[in-house]
Amino acid sequence: MWAIAPLKPRTENPGMMKMMVSDLKTEKRFIRHLVEKRTQIEEANAQDIADADVAVKAGKLSSSLFKRLDVSGAKFDTLLKGIDEILNLPDPIGQVTYANKVAEGLDLYRLTCPIGVLLIIFEARPDAAVQIASLAMKSGNALLLKGGKEAQRSNAALVTAMSAALRDVGLPADCIQGVDTRTEVAELLKQDKYIDLVIPRGSNELVRSIKDASRIPVLGHADGICAVYVDSKADLDKAAKIVVDSKTHYCAACNSMETLLVHQDVCANFLPKLAAALAGKEDVRYKADPVCRPHLPSGITEPAQEEDFDTEFLCHTMAVKAVASVQEAIDHINSHSSGHTESIVTEDPVAAEAFLSKVDSAGVYHNCSTRFADGFRYGFGAEVGISTNRIHARGPVGLEGLVIHKYRMYGSGHTAAGFSGASPEHTFLHAPVRGVDRVEDIPQAKKVRT
Amino acid sequence: MWAIAPLKPRTENPGMMKMMVSDLKTEKRFIRHLVEKRTQIEEANAQDIADADVAVKAGKLSSSLFKRLDVSGAKFDTLLKGIDEILNLPDPIGQVTYANKVAEGLDLYRLTCPIGVLLIIFEARPDAAVQIASLAMKSGNALLLKGGKEAQRSNAALVTAMSAALRDVGLPADCIQGVDTRTEVAELLKQDKYIDLVIPRGSNELVRSIKDASRIPVLGHADGICAVYVDSKADLDKAAKIVVDSKTHYCAACNSMETLLVHQDVCANFLPKLAAALAGKEDVRYKADPVCRPHLPSGITEPAQEEDFDTEFLCHTMAVKAVASVQEAIDHINSHSSGHTESIVTEDPVAAEAFLSKVDSAGVYHNCSTRFADGFRYGFGAEVGISTNRIHARGPVGLEGLVIHKYRMYGSGHTAAGFSGASPEHTFLHAPVRGVDRVEDIPQAKKVRT
């Protein structure tokens, strides 16, 4: 039975915990403990896979989910390498993001610090558990992990290994806990006093149901209804290449293209070219408007319905629509997209700038595939998810999305009253302070260390 | 009747709107229109004040609320000056906060942009309506404003003047709208598709009830249960001055001290000194633990109950407790405080650093008054509130709290598939790009302008 222990990291202050984590290289211990328990983890994983295999054969589980379950062999090595990469990222905690001399002898610093306790709900991908736990530890956060039930044994084995690593370095093993059932999740969603952020990775329905059930802030990783717009000034070969990649590189991902918008002047030239490029791919289907339909292969093309432009297909089906201008493309996207990632293909820099500045999505691209919307590809090392929220973090969320800040102020007896009256004791200067980039650079903090 | 027009700014894209706002100096028009309508605004305000006067005399309204209602005369001039100050702040939109050369010919930029549509619920302070609207316009956000009902006529007159300013510069007048009733607020809280952030300024109950009623993210400006800890190594004169200011400079504010913690070794010396310093103040009351009680004036001191340490008194009453160590003070604060602002008074830098690093509050201070927790005092020009949230914004929230970011990526036909395979077309570089501080510096965007 899961216990209400997330309280513990909070009262022990995530900030301190981070210092311990950093000092003791917990992430290295993670690797050691995972290696030591490799046999147990792979055995648990084999059991999950065996069960899933039965379910796939009975038509109860998708093969794409099945593929993601495996963490054995080479995948285990990749997983270890991933932890190592996260370990080598710069420390996200203790960065000074605002330094101001408020008055003579009164200094203000804003420092990054952990958010606190995170509840992460993710799909049946045991490798995600390890990646997320590494990011959480690197950023000094405590973590409650609920993975897809198909990976339950694998996740339990991984959490056991990671908790042992924590205990090994003198941290509460409770800093990482597994959550097994939906009933437990429902209970946890009520604990807004102890849990600071919920990150659900999954469908819009999952994200909405969690928002309905909880006062805890939610960082939703939800559907991606991404569009590519092929402009009248597009290089059509480039456009075909980008659309093929955006749609078929990994169609189950949220950053894959679902909607294709084509300038009406190039429909006749572009669409047959695209169809030819996609001819070798399995299960390609077009749901096209009347302008585009004649230019697409008849056997696999059907009339688009209004709702097709609001659908995340997650397969090789796409909705196709002709537009009369870049502005019409922008308007379509701002009405229909999920605000995830959109790309314009054009050789006209003016059209590109209009698209990038007016499209209101987390990612706006020029002449490249929507598939780049990803924490690793953005250079963050890894990600906990991709946010379509409009506060805190938007787009791929790496370590930066797992931190918040606190303000330190150092005075020498300063009072607010001292700044007012006929002859005030102090006056506001509000002068930026240069050269203080990390907590270690704060002069008052330095004194203690040396 | 209020119309679902916030949709409008969203589809017109707040980013573009901001550019228009910036170009056309809407804030200057704000000032002009407020000056032009000064007579009407002051008349409306006089009516609100007359009604409130009756309510105060009938004992139905507090005098502190009454005082905040007035926006006439010199207060009107202060209000205009405030807009001018916000106008002169650096542009918070279009700042580049991440610039990365992902691969040869593939560049990534993260740019600040408006959040979108904000719903702000605030107390009966008409000056707050103007300050918040100025911050929202400066950051390119559309705004729904619900003020306290006692200021309804003043707010309506102010919103009319500000809408006229918007229309004057060719922006939709709907970008600022007043919301009159709680029924309308309840309706708006369901519009998570159109409203991006709710900022309620008020009690914990208000914030909680809004979180319960809505999926929209909430930036809560709630109670402040702030503590001052007087350490064994404190300069006791300095400590008395800081405690007097923290408690009595403006006791109705959320950044005022409610809990006083005193190291047991200095109770006998410090508490009589404090009582002497507070002797001239009205209605001072102590709720003290058994160790502190003997050292405080008997007539105005009573035994502290457990709940007194979880209470926001908002008057000259304070809860007083002796602690055996800085660690006990830290533990007390992390269990009882609302995570707003806490201060340690000590001449011992080691104790100070322990307190600042381990206390888990938005503001942690050394040798100064808790009253400094304020957007203006922090150097932000103004504030929309003080957040005790642990995501997005924490502490006083200025313009930075009203923006989010989007990512722009510029490629030349790049695909994700191009980075894999036996002989990949591209390789990841992930090299930081220097010298791109604002959207105007992005080389691809520059080309269009010149």
Side-chain angles (χ1 to χ4, degrees), chain B residues 432-450:
Chain B
V433 175
R434 313 277 175 205
V436 181
D437 297 323
R438 288 200 45 88
V439 60
E440 298 82 15
D441 304 328
I442 296 177
Q444 292 89 338
K446 244 184 203 167
K447 246 185 278 174
V448 175
R449 283 192 195 83
T450 53

PDB file of all heavy atoms in Angstrom, chain B residues 432-450:
ATOM      1  N   PRO B 432      25.285  26.810 -28.499  1.00  0.00           N
ATOM      2  CA  PRO B 432      24.607  28.060 -28.134  1.00  0.00           C
ATOM      3  C   PRO B 432      24.900  29.153 -29.160  1.00  0.00           C
ATOM      4  O   PRO B 432      26.010  29.221 -29.688  1.00  0.00           O
ATOM      5  CB  PRO B 432      25.238  28.437 -26.787  1.00  0.00           C
ATOM      6  CG  PRO B 432      25.936  27.223 -26.301  1.00  0.00           C
ATOM      7  CD  PRO B 432      26.276  26.396 -27.497  1.00  0.00           C
ATOM      8  N   VAL B 433      23.899  29.977 -29.438  1.00  0.00           N
ATOM      9  CA  VAL B 433      24.072  31.108 -30.350  1.00  0.00           C
ATOM     10  C   VAL B 433      24.143  32.377 -29.505  1.00  0.00           C
ATOM     11  O   VAL B 433      23.262  32.622 -28.691  1.00  0.00           O
ATOM     12  CB  VAL B 433      22.881  31.197 -31.336  1.00  0.00           C
ATOM     13  CG1 VAL B 433      22.977  32.448 -32.205  1.00  0.00           C
ATOM     14  CG2 VAL B 433      22.815  29.946 -32.207  1.00  0.00           C
ATOM     15  N   ARG B 434      25.204  33.151 -29.680  1.00  0.00           N
ATOM     16  CA  ARG B 434      25.365  34.377 -28.869  1.00  0.00           C
ATOM     17  C   ARG B 434      24.858  35.598 -29.630  1.00  0.00           C
ATOM     18  O   ARG B 434      24.821  35.596 -30.855  1.00  0.00           O
ATOM     19  CB  ARG B 434      26.850  34.618 -28.541  1.00  0.00           C
ATOM     20  CG  ARG B 434      27.598  33.396 -28.046  1.00  0.00           C
ATOM     21  CD  ARG B 434      27.396  33.169 -26.561  1.00  0.00           C
ATOM     22  NE  ARG B 434      28.033  31.910 -26.156  1.00  0.00           N
ATOM     23  CZ  ARG B 434      27.659  31.203 -25.098  1.00  0.00           C
ATOM     24  NH1 ARG B 434      26.642  31.591 -24.349  1.00  0.00           N
ATOM     25  NH2 ARG B 434      28.273  30.087 -24.779  1.00  0.00           N
ATOM     26  N   GLY B 435      24.518  36.623 -28.899  1.00  0.00           N
ATOM     27  CA  GLY B 435      24.220  37.930 -29.509  1.00  0.00           C
ATOM     28  C   GLY B 435      22.811  38.072 -30.072  1.00  0.00           C
ATOM     29  O   GLY B 435      22.509  39.084 -30.687  1.00  0.00           O
ATOM     30  N   VAL B 436      21.977  37.060 -29.877  1.00  0.00           N
ATOM     31  CA  VAL B 436      20.583  37.190 -30.318  1.00  0.00           C
ATOM     32  C   VAL B 436      19.729  37.384 -29.057  1.00  0.00           C
ATOM     33  O   VAL B 436      19.355  36.420 -28.391  1.00  0.00           O
ATOM     34  CB  VAL B 436      20.120  35.960 -31.132  1.00  0.00           C
ATOM     35  CG1 VAL B 436      18.677  36.131 -31.590  1.00  0.00           C
ATOM     36  CG2 VAL B 436      21.027  35.751 -32.334  1.00  0.00           C
ATOM     37  N   ASP B 437      19.462  38.630 -28.717  1.00  0.00           N
ATOM     38  CA  ASP B 437      18.770  38.927 -27.465  1.00  0.00           C
ATOM     39  C   ASP B 437      17.289  39.211 -27.658  1.00  0.00           C
ATOM     40  O   ASP B 437      16.502  39.058 -26.744  1.00  0.00           O
ATOM     41  CB  ASP B 437      19.425  40.136 -26.791  1.00  0.00           C
ATOM     42  CG  ASP B 437      20.868  39.852 -26.409  1.00  0.00           C
ATOM     43  OD1 ASP B 437      21.143  38.704 -26.006  1.00  0.00           O
ATOM     44  OD2 ASP B 437      21.709  40.764 -26.549  1.00  0.00           O
ATOM     45  N   ARG B 438      16.952  39.669 -28.866  1.00  0.00           N
ATOM     46  CA  ARG B 438      15.556  39.996 -29.131  1.00  0.00           C
ATOM     47  C   ARG B 438      15.176  39.503 -30.525  1.00  0.00           C
ATOM     48  O   ARG B 438      16.038  39.227 -31.358  1.00  0.00           O
ATOM     49  CB  ARG B 438      15.317  41.517 -29.034  1.00  0.00           C
ATOM     50  CG  ARG B 438      15.358  42.048 -27.599  1.00  0.00           C
ATOM     51  CD  ARG B 438      14.658  43.409 -27.483  1.00  0.00           C
ATOM     52  NE  ARG B 438      13.396  43.439 -28.189  1.00  0.00           N
ATOM     53  CZ  ARG B 438      12.225  43.074 -27.662  1.00  0.00           C
ATOM     54  NH1 ARG B 438      12.140  42.669 -26.428  1.00  0.00           N
ATOM     55  NH2 ARG B 438      11.138  43.118 -28.390  1.00  0.00           N
ATOM     56  N   VAL B 439      13.862  39.426 -30.770  1.00  0.00           N
ATOM     57  CA  VAL B 439      13.364  38.937 -32.051  1.00  0.00           C
ATOM     58  C   VAL B 439      13.988  39.717 -33.211  1.00  0.00           C
ATOM     59  O   VAL B 439      14.296  39.142 -34.260  1.00  0.00           O
ATOM     60  CB  VAL B 439      11.804  38.971 -32.095  1.00  0.00           C
ATOM     61  CG1 VAL B 439      11.249  40.368 -31.902  1.00  0.00           C
ATOM     62  CG2 VAL B 439      11.268  38.349 -33.377  1.00  0.00           C
ATOM     63  N   GLU B 440      14.244  41.019 -33.004  1.00  0.00           N
ATOM     64  CA  GLU B 440      14.826  41.841 -34.064  1.00  0.00           C
ATOM     65  C   GLU B 440      16.240  41.388 -34.421  1.00  0.00           C
ATOM     66  O   GLU B 440      16.746  41.727 -35.500  1.00  0.00           O
ATOM     67  CB  GLU B 440      14.867  43.328 -33.651  1.00  0.00           C
ATOM     68  CG  GLU B 440      13.514  43.965 -33.382  1.00  0.00           C
ATOM     69  CD  GLU B 440      12.974  43.676 -31.980  1.00  0.00           C
ATOM     70  OE1 GLU B 440      13.754  43.230 -31.112  1.00  0.00           O
ATOM     71  OE2 GLU B 440      11.758  43.862 -31.749  1.00  0.00           O
ATOM     72  N   ASP B 441      16.913  40.671 -33.510  1.00  0.00           N
ATOM     73  CA  ASP B 441      18.283  40.215 -33.770  1.00  0.00           C
ATOM     74  C   ASP B 441      18.345  38.920 -34.565  1.00  0.00           C
ATOM     75  O   ASP B 441      19.423  38.517 -35.013  1.00  0.00           O
ATOM     76  CB  ASP B 441      19.027  39.972 -32.443  1.00  0.00           C
ATOM     77  CG  ASP B 441      19.039  41.201 -31.546  1.00  0.00           C
ATOM     78  OD1 ASP B 441      19.050  42.317 -32.084  1.00  0.00           O
ATOM     79  OD2 ASP B 441      19.035  41.029 -30.313  1.00  0.00           O
ATOM     80  N   ILE B 442      17.224  38.200 -34.701  1.00  0.00           N
ATOM     81  CA  ILE B 442      17.238  36.920 -35.408  1.00  0.00           C
ATOM     82  C   ILE B 442      17.580  37.189 -36.875  1.00  0.00           C
ATOM     83  O   ILE B 442      16.876  37.957 -37.537  1.00  0.00           O
ATOM     84  CB  ILE B 442      15.873  36.204 -35.285  1.00  0.00           C
ATOM     85  CG1 ILE B 442      15.601  35.844 -33.811  1.00  0.00           C
ATOM     86  CG2 ILE B 442      15.819  34.951 -36.160  1.00  0.00           C
ATOM     87  CD1 ILE B 442      14.245  35.206 -33.568  1.00  0.00           C
ATOM     88  N   PRO B 443      18.666  36.592 -37.384  1.00  0.00           N
ATOM     89  CA  PRO B 443      19.117  36.929 -38.742  1.00  0.00           C
ATOM     90  C   PRO B 443      18.010  36.762 -39.792  1.00  0.00           C
ATOM     91  O   PRO B 443      17.819  37.633 -40.641  1.00  0.00           O
ATOM     92  CB  PRO B 443      20.257  35.942 -38.997  1.00  0.00           C
ATOM     93  CG  PRO B 443      20.702  35.484 -37.659  1.00  0.00           C
ATOM     94  CD  PRO B 443      19.531  35.599 -36.735  1.00  0.00           C
ATOM     95  N   GLN B 444      17.251  35.658 -39.725  1.00  0.00           N
ATOM     96  CA  GLN B 444      16.212  35.407 -40.719  1.00  0.00           C
ATOM     97  C   GLN B 444      15.098  36.463 -40.647  1.00  0.00           C
ATOM     98  O   GLN B 444      14.520  36.820 -41.677  1.00  0.00           O
ATOM     99  CB  GLN B 444      15.595  34.010 -40.515  1.00  0.00           C
ATOM    100  CG  GLN B 444      16.542  32.858 -40.833  1.00  0.00           C
ATOM    101  CD  GLN B 444      17.383  32.424 -39.627  1.00  0.00           C
ATOM    102  OE1 GLN B 444      17.583  33.189 -38.687  1.00  0.00           O
ATOM    103  NE2 GLN B 444      17.881  31.201 -39.666  1.00  0.00           N
ATOM    104  N   ALA B 445      14.786  36.941 -39.436  1.00  0.00           N
ATOM    105  CA  ALA B 445      13.734  37.946 -39.269  1.00  0.00           C
ATOM    106  C   ALA B 445      14.248  39.307 -39.733  1.00  0.00           C
ATOM    107  O   ALA B 445      13.494  40.107 -40.291  1.00  0.00           O
ATOM    108  CB  ALA B 445      13.301  38.001 -37.803  1.00  0.00           C
ATOM    109  N   LYS B 446      15.527  39.559 -39.490  1.00  0.00           N
ATOM    110  CA  LYS B 446      16.164  40.822 -39.891  1.00  0.00           C
ATOM    111  C   LYS B 446      16.040  41.043 -41.386  1.00  0.00           C
ATOM    112  O   LYS B 446      15.759  42.142 -41.851  1.00  0.00           O
ATOM    113  CB  LYS B 446      17.652  40.757 -39.538  1.00  0.00           C
ATOM    114  CG  LYS B 446      18.090  41.771 -38.506  1.00  0.00           C
ATOM    115  CD  LYS B 446      19.595  41.661 -38.310  1.00  0.00           C
ATOM    116  CE  LYS B 446      19.995  42.200 -36.946  1.00  0.00           C
ATOM    117  NZ  LYS B 446      21.367  41.826 -36.615  1.00  0.00           N
ATOM    118  N   LYS B 447      16.274  39.974 -42.142  1.00  0.00           N
ATOM    119  CA  LYS B 447      16.259  40.042 -43.594  1.00  0.00           C
ATOM    120  C   LYS B 447      14.959  40.664 -44.109  1.00  0.00           C
ATOM    121  O   LYS B 447      14.957  41.430 -45.065  1.00  0.00           O
ATOM    122  CB  LYS B 447      16.397  38.625 -44.169  1.00  0.00           C
ATOM    123  CG  LYS B 447      17.692  38.393 -44.938  1.00  0.00           C
ATOM    124  CD  LYS B 447      17.693  37.016 -45.580  1.00  0.00           C
ATOM    125  CE  LYS B 447      18.098  35.923 -44.626  1.00  0.00           C
ATOM    126  NZ  LYS B 447      17.972  34.570 -45.165  1.00  0.00           N
ATOM    127  N   VAL B 448      13.859  40.291 -43.452  1.00  0.00           N
ATOM    128  CA  VAL B 448      12.545  40.756 -43.903  1.00  0.00           C
ATOM    129  C   VAL B 448      12.390  42.252 -43.661  1.00  0.00           C
ATOM    130  O   VAL B 448      11.808  42.967 -44.463  1.00  0.00           O
ATOM    131  CB  VAL B 448      11.433  39.979 -43.165  1.00  0.00           C
ATOM    132  CG1 VAL B 448      10.062  40.520 -43.527  1.00  0.00           C
ATOM    133  CG2 VAL B 448      11.546  38.507 -43.504  1.00  0.00           C
ATOM    134  N   ARG B 449      12.933  42.710 -42.548  1.00  0.00           N
ATOM    135  CA  ARG B 449      12.747  44.121 -42.188  1.00  0.00           C
ATOM    136  C   ARG B 449      13.590  45.060 -43.036  1.00  0.00           C
ATOM    137  O   ARG B 449      13.206  46.183 -43.277  1.00  0.00           O
ATOM    138  CB  ARG B 449      13.065  44.313 -40.704  1.00  0.00           C
ATOM    139  CG  ARG B 449      11.928  43.815 -39.847  1.00  0.00           C
ATOM    140  CD  ARG B 449      12.020  44.213 -38.406  1.00  0.00           C
ATOM    141  NE  ARG B 449      11.077  43.390 -37.659  1.00  0.00           N
ATOM    142  CZ  ARG B 449      11.334  42.172 -37.241  1.00  0.00           C
ATOM    143  NH1 ARG B 449      12.508  41.630 -37.436  1.00  0.00           N
ATOM    144  NH2 ARG B 449      10.403  41.475 -36.608  1.00  0.00           N
ATOM    145  N   THR B 450      14.780  44.602 -43.476  1.00  0.00           N
ATOM    146  CA  THR B 450      15.692  45.515 -44.170  1.00  0.00           C
ATOM    147  C   THR B 450      15.546  45.427 -45.687  1.00  0.00           C
ATOM    148  O   THR B 450      14.803  44.625 -46.203  1.00  0.00           O
ATOM    149  CB  THR B 450      17.148  45.224 -43.766  1.00  0.00           C
ATOM    150  OG1 THR B 450      17.380  43.837 -43.970  1.00  0.00           O
ATOM    151  CG2 THR B 450      17.372  45.601 -42.325  1.00  0.00           C
TER     152      THR B 450
END
